[in-house]
Amino acid sequence: MIPIFAYAALAFLILVLVVVLARPGRPPEVAGEKVGPTRVPDEWDVRWLDLVRQIFDSADYLWLRDELRFPRLAKALLSSRKRMAICWLKALRASFNELVRTPDFSPAKGQSENAPAGWRLSWLAVRFQLLLIYALLVVRLFGPYHRLIPALNWRRLVPEPPLRSARFRSANSQNF
Amino acid sequence: MSTRLVVFRGPIRQRSKLVCQSFGWGRARKLCPPKAECNGKTTLFLGLLSLLLEGIIIWRARAGKFLSRFPLFYSYLMLVFMGSAGAYAARWLSPRYYEGSFWIFFMVTLVAEFAVLVEISDHIFNSYPAVRSLGRMLTGAISIGFFVFYIVPALAVPGSPGGHVAELVKRSSVTKAVIIVCLLAVARSFDLPMNTNTSGMMVGLGLYLSSNIVNFELAARLNRAQYGSTFAIVGPVSYTLCLLVWTVALWRYEPAVIFSREARPGDATLVPDLLGRFNNSLSRLLRK
């Protein structure tokens, strides 16, 4: 009986997803909707890159928390930076999606024409989209100062042989 | 028990007959179950209604001159329409020929449904150079992956031919439904516009496939007395509903691309360069 219920649930889920996701719609810029909280400027100018660096730079936060000893202020800064980081990532995603939606005005081409280039472009678009989704998830869960690539601290669970230099150092300190 | 044959029309009805027979629900040398157990009048009515709807969809596309806009979809529909008409003719003229050609038509329609998916993916992604190949890439990858890891293992297990047929239809329906959901999810993640034609095609096909999944799973698990008559009616009903959705959605043609006010000719040539810059910037960010 379990497979019957499992397949019935799967079929119901598929039907709901298809009906929800297949709603006819227009792209936001055509429908006149606001595209995200902000929009990435057309020119990737220095000011915009500076803003990004400041959002993801943890120096201010660490200075407030460790040197000035204002943990609550540091926490407030962290939450405001988190909001800004999410806004920035959403804006980047909206601009990227707008770029992807650039239509081709040239006459219809076959799939075979420039197929490798088309596959490479599609792969780049998917890669960027996946990384953006991942970055948004990490920022939402852990904040803007978390490493996007895991540090793999679990490796330390495995005992490592001491380095030769460390052994020599301990030997030397004992001798002197 | 009456031995008069019921001729269902269209792929799903023929699958119903096949599975009824394969499970031992019909007589050993007949392709379809006895009329009394499969609500013959209802299925005949649904069969004629489906034939009518298929004719209307094709006629509308021809009158609106948009047959060539969905070449694979209308090819599939014409195949089913002509196959069904042929099945009716064969039933009256040469039942033996009909039985012989059944398997060929059955396999062709099972594979031809993938053409509808390719059509949908082309219609969603083909106008955008940045993701032009994405639809076919997804469709191909999921089809191959599911065929190797999901369909083939089920067919490799020893069992009755009827069980294998039910598994094949059910699992290929799951594969097609997963392709539809993935195409939709990817299109939504890029905010790609969806028009009534494409949405309708997907909703209709999704409805048909999801009912197929449940129907064939129940047919494989329950016996003839429990599910025989229901099985023979669910398939035609879902296929007719699918055709109704397609008729409404494809009543008039809508262009796939809705041009942005800011889009200019030549913009598409800049897309590869800009995509490369987006990726370089993100790679730098990740390295930090």
Side-chain angles (χ1 to χ4, degrees):
Chain A
M1 268 299 165
I2 291 171
I4 294 177
F5 286 122
Y7 273 105
L10 176 71
F12 182 71
L13 182 70
I14 285 167
L15 193 58
V16 169
L17 279 173
V18 169
V19 170
V20 169
L21 291 173
R23 279 174 290 119
R26 290 166 161 236
E29 66 270 15
V30 175
E33 293 170 13
K34 195 180 171 188
V35 183
T38 54
R39 190 172 172 281
V40 175
D42 291 335
E43 298 298 326
W44 289 45
D45 57 5
V46 179
R47 277 175 56 208
W48 186 73
L49 287 174
D50 280 346
L51 172 71
V52 177
R53 285 197 193 101
Q54 279 179 18
I55 289 173
F56 287 99
D57 188 4
S58 60
D60 297 346
Y61 167 74
L62 294 174
W63 178 67
L64 269 175
R65 194 189 66 179
D66 299 334
E67 289 189 27
L68 298 184
R69 307 278 179 194
F70 287 137
R72 290 175 66 183
L73 198 59
K75 203 174 175 183
L77 180 74
L78 179 69
S79 73
S80 79
R81 287 274 172 87
K82 184 178 169 180
R83 280 199 301 276
M84 285 174 75
I86 291 170
C87 279
W88 182 81
L89 285 169
K90 281 184 175 173
L92 182 63
R93 194 175 168 199
S95 293
F96 176 72
N97 285 349
E98 207 177 323
L99 173 71
V100 167
R101 286 195 303 273
T102 308
D104 196 356
F105 286 88
S106 57
K109 294 169 188 166
Q111 284 274 343
S112 56
E113 192 178 333
N114 278 333
W119 283 51
R120 191 181 155 273
L121 269 183
S122 297
W123 164 241
L124 282 179
V126 170
R127 173 180 174 260
F128 190 83
Q129 185 76 310
L130 288 177
L131 285 174
L132 265 181
I133 290 169
Y134 173 67
L136 263 169
L137 189 75
V138 169
V139 171
R140 273 181 204 278
L141 290 177
F142 305 111
Y145 305 138
H146 193 276
R147 287 174 63 93
L148 288 179
I149 298 170
L152 301 179
N153 286 332
W154 53 268
R155 283 185 312 173
R156 290 178 191 165
L157 295 173
V158 183
E160 292 177 6
L163 291 172
R164 286 183 68 187
S165 57
R167 275 189 312 219
F168 287 139
R169 205 177 299 129
S170 63
N172 289 339
S173 65
Q174 280 170 4
N175 289 339
F176 290 100
Chain B
M1 188 184 292
S2 168
T3 55
R4 187 177 164 190
L5 300 182
V6 178
V7 176
F8 303 122
R9 205 199 41 70
I12 184 64
R13 278 164 288 285
Q14 291 179 359
R15 283 172 210 167
S16 307
K17 283 182 296 184
L18 175 73
V19 175
C20 285
Q21 183 261 336
S22 302
F23 289 165
W25 288 3
R27 293 206 163 194
R29 297 180 67 184
K30 301 293 179 188
L31 278 170
C32 48
K35 183 181 178 181
E37 293 193 24
C38 283
N39 299 319
K41 283 181 183 172
T42 315
T43 48
L44 187 67
F45 168 73
L46 287 169
L48 290 172
L49 185 61
S50 301
L51 201 64
L52 182 70
L53 287 171
E54 284 163 5
I56 288 172
I57 295 171
I58 294 167
W59 168 75
R60 271 301 300 175
R62 193 175 156 74
K65 294 178 181 171
F66 55 87
L67 263 177
S68 58
R69 300 280 181 177
F70 303 96
L72 294 173
F73 175 75
Y74 284 112
S75 300
Y76 165 77
L77 216 58
M78 280 181 190
L79 173 81
V80 176
F81 182 78
M82 291 168 78
S84 307
Y88 271 117
R91 178 206 168 188
W92 296 112
L93 299 174
S94 171
R96 181 171 294 177
Y97 174 74
Y98 169 69
E99 288 178 20
S101 60
F102 171 79
W103 283 102
I104 299 168
F105 186 62
F106 170 74
M107 291 310 293
V108 167
T109 49
L110 203 64
V111 175
E113 279 165 15
F114 281 97
V116 179
L117 297 173
V118 173
E119 182 72 88
I120 289 169
S121 72
D122 279 359
H123 210 66
I124 295 174
F125 295 100
N126 220 7
S127 309
Y128 308 101
V131 285
R132 181 168 284 153
S133 308
L134 191 56
R136 289 199 176 194
M137 209 157 78
L138 269 176
T139 309
I142 297 170
S143 301
I144 292 168
F146 271 65
F147 181 75
V148 173
F149 296 108
Y150 183 60
I151 296 175
V152 169
L155 300 181
V157 176
S160 67
H164 279 157
V165 169
E167 282 296 321
L168 178 66
V169 177
K170 183 186 74 188
R171 289 179 184 235
S172 67
S173 297
V174 171
T175 307
K176 289 165 197 166
V178 168
I179 291 171
I180 290 181
V181 172
C182 287
L183 287 175
L184 276 171
V186 171
R188 283 291 167 201
S189 76
F190 286 112
D191 287 331
L192 297 182
M194 208 82 69
N195 62 16
T196 314
N197 300 150
T198 322
S199 298
M201 269 199 267
M202 281 191 278
V203 170
L205 196 60
L207 181 75
Y208 164 65
L209 292 172
S210 52
S211 73
N212 238 6
I213 292 167
V214 180
N215 201 28
F216 277 86
E217 176 62 21
L218 286 169
R221 305 278 168 192
L222 305 177
N223 62 34
R224 180 188 189 182
Q226 287 173 310
Y227 195 65
S229 55
T230 314
F231 173 79
I233 209 83
V234 169
V237 167
S238 70
Y239 185 64
T240 309
L241 280 174
C242 165
L243 284 174
L244 264 175
V245 174
W246 284 352
T247 309
V248 174
L250 293 159
W251 196 251
R252 57 174 57 88
Y253 174 72
E254 281 183 22
V257 183
I258 303 163
F259 292 110
S260 161
R261 285 187 296 272
E262 296 170 7
R264 296 178 300 275
D267 279 358
T269 55
L270 301 173
V271 170
D273 181 43
L274 284 169
L275 262 179
R277 287 171 65 185
F278 265 112
N279 270 279
N280 287 340
S281 299
L282 192 75
S283 300
R284 276 205 302 274
L285 187 72
L286 281 172
R287 264 187 244 119
K288 278 190 172 179

